[in-house]
Amino acid sequence: MPSAALTTQRVTISRRASEIRAAWSTRQRRQRATEGRRRFEELLRLIVGLDCDCEVWAVGALAFVDLQRIAP
């Protein structure tokens, strides 16, 4: 069950975000939507283009072979 402080913070952030979006013009909304889609597509291309070898497992400190594998 969420705490009262967390719930209050979410409501405050949500309310403020709504106020900000309400001040945008139609042109700004379209521009932001276009930019959001472009950034999402860029992220998707980055994720899909990764090799399986780029995987790093969080099981402890990296060994020397791990550092060699992920070094640029």
Side-chain angles (χ1 to χ4, degrees):
M1 179 171 209
S3 69
L6 183 58
T7 303
T8 303
Q9 183 180 8
R10 282 187 191 156
V11 170
T12 304
I13 292 170
S14 179
R15 184 178 303 136
R16 182 66 184 132
S18 294
E19 291 170 2
I20 291 170
R21 285 191 298 268
W24 294 345
S25 68
T26 303
R27 187 177 133 279
Q28 284 176 308
R29 289 175 195 274
R30 287 187 184 130
Q31 200 171 16
R32 288 176 178 270
T34 301
E35 177 67 14
R37 283 190 297 274
R38 185 193 64 77
R39 292 179 75 189
F40 175 75
E41 290 168 0
E42 185 178 305
L43 176 63
L44 190 58
R45 279 194 304 273
L46 177 67
I47 292 170
V48 170
L50 292 177
D51 294 349
C52 291
D53 196 30
C54 294
E55 201 170 346
V56 176
W57 289 72
V59 293
L62 295 174
F64 183 69
V65 291
D66 298 321
L67 294 173
Q68 287 179 319
R69 185 172 53 85
I70 63 174

